[in-house]
């Protein structure tokens, strides 16, 4: 992938991108402006997106070292999926968000996913818009066929009732329509609240919406499958779910709790590989330990270990991009040079005449990083990117200073992986 060239960049996009990179966090927008390398990995996931859009399924495990760009890569793929008319969901796992639990952590993960629902038109908080699109399309169809919107909505939702939880899901969508039709904003808000998994008691949900169930720990995955079917009814092509920081499952001390989460992953993988779901895809982001550790990682769970075995013939430089595990290649020094060129281009708002440093400075910066932290500067690029942005920021504020002088005072520290902290060896801890 080449440098950004003469692409003009909007000030808002430039500032948001720079602010994220200087903070060491993954930008939510503008990833395409700095993305380099990994063309084969991107192409593989574009194939998954197309398959989901055709009603198929996908489940991939994106594996890379801490700081190698997994989250950036997942966000890039998510942005492309939205461009291709998929609805996207994303969330990071943490002790309060898990795939399986009995204390509300799975519902907490579901709620976070719904809060982060995105489409091309609205990258965040798009769930209500998806429901409204379904309703307005039903109204248009009713007008064309000279029938009532309520009848059209019931007919279109009929297929959902064959799925677990589909009956109440359909009722909630009808309640949203009633609120829409009668200008009852409270009823619409209650319907969206139920869809987001924000009801904590069935009694409250029944009083507000007349349904007997709520989204809870047990219905987490079934609800996602319902949503995948629904977004297709609303005119989108499918649903892509990105779950990052999967290493938090590896860190669960209680063996039973950890394996319950792995059992949920197995269920998802089986459904996606066997075609038991429709128009849904999962991307799981994690470090190598989360995958391969034989004592606590996915490979400690026999059924998952067999399903996630990588192609044994992929040796001698051969890489299989079609399997369930997608390992992110390290950036090459050449890739990294292009990345720094792109960062320089972003800082200049896309105007080469405003570049803060010449090509010579990029070469010198890379040599400076290699001297300080060795080849780690392009294997785990987050810290190095932050340092380069800091350098450009100082030069932007002090145009009278020479870049050579400022570079000499730029410190670059190697990335430290908190996942390597000692784990509790007690597998009999009580689950929390």
């Amino acid at each position: 992938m080449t440098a950004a060239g003469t692409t003009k960049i909007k000030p808002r996009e430039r500032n948001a991108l720079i602010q994220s990179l200087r903070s060491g966090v993954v930008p939510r927008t503008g990833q395409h402006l700095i993305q380099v390398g990994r063309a084969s990995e991107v192409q593989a996931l574009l194939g998954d997106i197309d398959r989901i859009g055709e009603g198929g399924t996908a489940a991939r495990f994106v594996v890379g070292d801490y700081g190698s760009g997994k989250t950036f890569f997942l966000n890039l793929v998510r942005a492309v999926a939205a461009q291709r008319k998929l609805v996207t969901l994303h969330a990071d796992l943490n002790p309060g968000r898990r795939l399986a639990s009995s204390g509300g952590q799975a519902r907490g993960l579901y709620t976070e996913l719904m809060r982060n629902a995105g489409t091309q038109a609205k990258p965040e908080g798009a769930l209500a818009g998806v429901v409204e699109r379904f309703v307005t399309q039903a109204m248009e169809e009713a007008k064309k066929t000279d029938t009532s919107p309520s009848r059209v909505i019931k007919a279109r939702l009929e297929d959902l009732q064959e799925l677990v939880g589909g009956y109440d899901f359909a009722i909630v969508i009808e309640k949203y329509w009633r609120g829409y039709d009668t200008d009852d904003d409270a009823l619409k808000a209650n319907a969206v609240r139920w869809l987001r998994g924000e009801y904590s008691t069935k009694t409250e949900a029944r009083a507000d919406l007349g349904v007997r169930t709520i989204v809870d720990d047990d219905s987490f995955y079934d609800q996602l499958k319902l949503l995948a079917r629904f977004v297709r009814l609303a005119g989108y092509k499918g649903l892509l779910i990105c779950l990052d920081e999967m290493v938090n499952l590896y860190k669960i001390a209680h063996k039973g709790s950890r394996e319950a989460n792995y059992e949920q992953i197995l269920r998802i993988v089986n459904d996606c590989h066997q075609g038991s779901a429709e128009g849904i895809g999962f991307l799981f982001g994690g470090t190598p330990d989360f995958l391969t550790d034989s004592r606590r990682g996915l490979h400690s769970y026999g059924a998952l270990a067999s399903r996630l075995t990588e192609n044994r013939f992929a040796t001698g430089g051969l890489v299989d991009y079609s399997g369930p595990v997608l390992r992110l290649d390290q950036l090459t020094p050449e890739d990294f040079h292009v990345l720094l060129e792109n960062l320089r281009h972003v800082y200049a708002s896309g105007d080469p005449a405003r570049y803060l440093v010449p090509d010579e400075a990029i070469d010198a910066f890379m040599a400076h990083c290699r001297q300080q932290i060795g080849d780690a500067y392009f294997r785990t690029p987050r810290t190095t990117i932050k340092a380069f942005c800091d350098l450009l920021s100082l030069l932007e504020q002090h145009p009278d200073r020479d870049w050579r002088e400022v570079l000499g005072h730029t410190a670059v520290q190697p990335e430290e992986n908190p996942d390597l902290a000692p784990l509790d060896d007690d597998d009999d801890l009580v689950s929390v």
Side-chain angles (χ1 to χ4, degrees):
M1 189 172 294
T2 59
T6 59
T7 305
K8 297 298 181 181
I9 301 167
K10 297 177 181 178
R12 181 178 178 182
E13 191 171 34
R14 170 203 183 268
N15 295 337
L17 186 60
I18 290 172
Q19 184 176 15
S20 297
L21 295 174
R22 291 197 65 193
S23 300
V25 299
V26 175
R28 291 186 177 272
T29 61
Q31 299 97 333
H32 63 285
L33 295 171
I34 60 173
Q35 167 65 19
V36 297
R38 295 172 179 159
S40 297
E41 292 91 335
V42 171
Q43 193 62 38
L45 291 186
L46 290 181
D48 289 355
I49 290 171
D50 290 341
R51 184 163 60 254
I52 295 166
E54 294 168 355
T57 56
R60 294 271 198 162
F61 295 80
V62 178
V63 176
D65 290 326
Y66 180 79
S68 62
K70 291 184 306 301
T71 302
F72 183 94
F73 181 79
L74 291 175
N75 282 7
L76 176 67
V77 173
R78 185 164 53 82
V80 174
Q83 290 174 359
R84 299 196 177 191
K85 297 186 178 180
L86 269 65
V87 175
T88 66
L89 310 176
H90 70 277
D92 291 348
L93 272 68
N94 61 32
R97 301 183 202 136
R98 298 177 181 175
L99 292 166
S101 70
S102 58
Q105 293 95 332
R107 186 170 75 89
L109 176 58
Y110 179 87
T111 300
E112 181 68 10
L113 286 169
M114 295 305 108
R115 186 178 296 118
N116 295 331
T119 61
Q120 184 178 14
K122 191 172 184 181
E124 302 284 343
L127 182 60
V130 172
V131 179
E132 189 150 325
R133 176 171 174 169
F134 172 83
V135 168
T136 55
Q137 287 184 344
M139 293 174 62
E140 291 172 1
E141 182 179 337
K143 186 175 181 180
K144 291 179 182 177
T145 58
D146 195 24
T147 186
S148 70
S150 178
R151 180 172 298 180
V152 171
I153 288 172
K154 287 182 179 179
R156 297 185 68 187
L157 294 175
E158 189 173 349
D159 287 344
L160 296 182
Q161 298 185 29
E162 68 185 46
L163 301 178
V164 175
Y167 181 77
D168 279 351
F169 189 100
I171 290 178
V172 170
I173 299 299
E174 289 186 50
K175 292 292 185 180
Y176 185 94
W177 148 246
R178 293 295 179 192
Y180 185 94
D181 188 45
T182 60
D183 291 325
D184 187 339
D185 290 338
L187 184 57
K188 288 167 57 180
N190 287 338
V192 173
R193 182 185 170 197
W194 188 94
L195 293 169
R196 287 177 176 160
E198 294 174 354
Y199 276 98
S200 58
T201 67
K202 296 177 182 179
T203 301
E204 187 181 8
R206 186 173 183 180
D208 288 347
L209 297 166
V211 293
R212 297 177 179 272
T213 62
I214 58 173
V215 181
D216 55 19
D217 289 341
D218 293 334
S219 61
F220 164 79
Y221 177 48
D222 291 324
Q223 198 73 10
L224 289 178
K225 290 196 290 185
L226 272 169
L227 185 64
R229 185 80 65 91
F230 175 73
V231 300
R232 288 171 62 80
L233 293 176
Y236 297 93
K237 289 190 173 182
L239 183 69
L240 179 67
I241 301 155
C242 297
L243 297 171
D244 203 1
E245 302 296 341
M246 295 293 291
V247 72
N248 281 287
L249 301 185
Y250 163 82
K251 291 180 177 180
I252 296 175
H254 187 270
K255 184 177 181 180
S257 297
R258 191 169 62 247
E259 292 194 344
N261 279 269
Y262 290 172
E263 178 67 29
Q264 187 73 283
I265 294 175
L266 177 64
R267 182 185 175 196
I268 291 170
V269 170
N270 284 343
D271 278 359
C272 290
H273 289 178
Q274 295 171 353
S276 301
E278 177 183 315
I280 191 169
F282 290 84
L283 292 179
F284 302 98
T287 56
D289 285 339
F290 159 69
L291 176 69
T292 60
D293 188 285
S294 60
R295 189 171 66 90
R296 303 178 75 135
L298 292 180
H299 281 191
S300 70
Y301 198 79
L304 275 174
S306 64
R307 286 160 177 77
L308 303 182
T309 299
E310 297 173 68
N311 192 330
R312 293 182 175 86
F313 294 99
T315 59
L318 296 175
V319 180
D320 183 2
Y321 296 103
S322 65
V325 176
L326 193 64
R327 292 185 180 270
L328 293 185
D329 289 338
Q330 298 172 357
L331 292 178
T332 66
E334 293 76 19
D335 287 335
F336 208 89
H337 195 285
V338 175
L339 172 58
L340 297 182
E341 290 177 12
N342 289 346
L343 289 172
R344 177 181 64 175
H345 192 73
V346 168
Y347 251 89
S349 299
D351 182 0
R354 297 172 58 190
Y355 285 171
L356 295 168
V357 294
D359 291 347
E360 176 190 356
I362 294 178
D363 295 331
F365 179 81
M366 291 178 65
H368 178 75
C369 292
R370 188 188 296 274
Q371 183 179 16
Q372 291 203 349
I373 61 175
D375 288 344
Y377 80 90
F378 65 85
R379 291 199 197 101
T380 55
R382 175 166 44 202
T383 299
T384 314
I385 290 172
K386 183 179 184 300
F388 189 68
C389 288
D390 288 345
L391 171 65
L392 294 179
S393 178
L394 281 175
L395 292 173
E396 184 179 41
Q397 297 174 67
H398 303 280
D400 57 317
R401 304 297 288 269
D402 187 87
W403 64 264
R404 297 173 185 84
E405 178 186 358
V406 179
L407 177 59
H409 297 287
T410 303
V412 184
Q413 300 295 329
E415 190 81 61
E416 295 183 2
N417 183 359
D419 298 336
L420 297 181
L423 297 176
D424 197 321
D425 288 331
D426 187 354
D427 274 343
D428 295 321
L429 294 175
V430 176
S431 176
V432 294

